[in-house]
Amino acid sequence: ETGVTQTPRHLVMGMTNKKSLKCEQHLGHNAMYWYKQSAKKPLELMFVYNFKEQTENNSVPSRFSPECPNSSHLFLHLHTLQPEDSALYLCASSQAGGSYNEQFFGPGTRLTVL
Amino acid sequence: ELKVEQNPLFLSMQEGKNYTIYCNYSTTSDRLYWYRQDPGKSLESLFVLLSNGAVKQEGRLMASLDTKARLSTLHITAAVHDLSATYFCAVDSRYSGGGADGLTFGKGTHLIIQP
């Protein structure tokens, strides 16, 4: 595997389900991010992790719960979601602390909440 | 609140023509990023602009940055159909000079290039 991978690529879930999204980066980076992309809004930052420590929560509802066990893996745990949470969820990674913050994105998980 | 504004948001043009996409931002950061997204796909990094006056070119695309005007442009020369995509500009959300930082994106410019 190379770059940033995400699983699953597509997910359909009911409002009472619990599911998890997984992201893995193979770039040796030390920072990982979750973004949400929906039809109605621009790309929105959700969470930032630096050396597996959460450094930013962009006012995300508690039904989204991130987990970063190490610098290479990032999860987004989902529970009791709403239909308006249907979107493309993108994971990204970067090498923080350098002269720039170029982020590399995974293919995304297309989430549909029924 | 940090704002990143792109225009136009939608652009339909013919092959062979030139055009420019504009990106205005409200932060004092001197770093700006351009990404491309094909339908149903993820974001691909195109350019990283790191200082005032920076100019980068890749094929038919050229990006520039004017930090004093807080403006970046993405110029397309002699457009070809393969360049049809959505183009996003982004800036560091906080730019503390170090550490991880999320990006704030513009709404994107949906570009269609017709034969």
Side-chain angles (χ1 to χ4, degrees), chain B residues 2-102:
Chain B
L2 173 56
K3 293 183 178 179
V4 181
E5 296 182 346
Q6 286 182 240
N7 70 85
L9 298 182
F10 182 83
L11 177 59
S12 179
M13 56 191 293
Q14 288 184 318
E15 282 191 327
K17 300 291 187 180
N18 303 332
Y19 211 83
T20 300
I21 299 170
Y22 298 89
C23 175
N24 288 93
Y25 57 96
S26 62
T27 180
T28 56
S29 172
D30 56 3
R31 308 192 306 199
L32 189 132
Y33 311 86
W34 283 98
Y35 287 86
R36 167 180 173 154
Q37 186 177 37
D38 291 298
K41 300 290 181 65
S42 188
L43 276 75
E44 173 191 357
S45 178
L46 291 175
F47 300 108
V48 178
L49 302 169
L50 298 177
S51 61
N52 186 40
V55 177
K56 288 197 173 180
Q57 183 164 4
E58 181 72 34
R60 301 174 187 273
L61 299 178
M62 183 173 71
S64 65
L65 179 62
D66 181 344
T67 58
K68 294 180 180 179
R70 301 182 186 179
L71 171 68
S72 181
T73 61
L74 181 65
H75 187 73
I76 303 154
T77 302
V80 293
H81 178 69
D82 287 351
L83 291 178
S84 296
T86 299
Y87 293 86
F88 294 91
C89 63
V91 296
D92 296 292
S93 298
R94 293 179 301 172
Y95 188 44
S96 59
D101 191 5

Side-chain angles (χ1 to χ4, degrees), chain A residues 31 33 35 37 42-43 45 48 50 56 88 90 96-103 105-107, chain B residues 31 33 35 37 41-43 45 48 50 88 92-94 98-103 105-107:
Chain A
Y33 311 81
Y35 288 86
Q37 186 177 33
L43 270 158
L45 176 68
V48 178
N50 191 7
E56 187 167 349
L88 180 68
L90 292 163
S99 60
Y100 58 92
N101 186 31
E102 184 181 19
Q103 296 184 12
F105 285 79
Chain B
R31 308 192 306 199
Y33 311 86
Y35 287 86
Q37 186 177 37
K41 300 290 181 65
S42 188
L43 276 75
S45 178
V48 178
L50 298 177
F88 294 91
D92 296 292
S93 298
R94 293 179 301 172
D101 191 5
L103 297 179
F105 285 81
K107 291 183 178 180

Side-chain angles (χ1 to χ4, degrees), chain A:
Chain A
E1 296 279 16
T2 59
V4 181
T5 59
Q6 290 186 242
T7 56
R9 297 292 306 277
H10 300 272
L11 178 62
V12 179
M13 59 186 290
M15 294 169 60
T16 58
N17 291 158
K18 290 184 180 181
K19 296 287 183 183
S20 295
L21 309 185
K22 178 183 176 182
C23 174
E24 183 174 359
Q25 60 95 1
H26 309 268
L27 299 169
H29 290 161
N30 57 17
M32 298 187 76
Y33 311 81
W34 279 116
Y35 288 86
K36 174 183 178 182
Q37 186 177 33
S38 60
K40 297 182 179 180
K41 292 185 177 182
L43 270 158
E44 298 176 88
L45 176 68
M46 299 177 72
F47 300 103
V48 178
Y49 277 84
N50 191 7
F51 288 105
K52 77 178 183 179
E53 298 295 325
Q54 187 181 125
T55 58
E56 187 167 349
N57 175 340
N58 199 26
S59 303
V60 180
S62 59
R63 57 186 184 270
F64 295 91
S65 175
E67 178 189 359
C68 188
N70 54 61
S71 294
S72 299
H73 294 85
L74 185 63
F75 296 88
L76 188 62
H77 304 298
L78 316 172
H79 63 99
T80 59
L81 294 191
Q82 305 297 312
E84 59 264 30
D85 296 323
S86 298
L88 180 68
Y89 288 85
L90 292 163
C91 173
S93 71
S94 73
Q95 185 59 31
S99 60
Y100 58 92
N101 186 31
E102 184 181 19
Q103 296 184 12
F104 296 86
F105 285 79
T109 295
R110 176 69 63 184
L111 174 66
T112 302
V113 181
L114 302 177

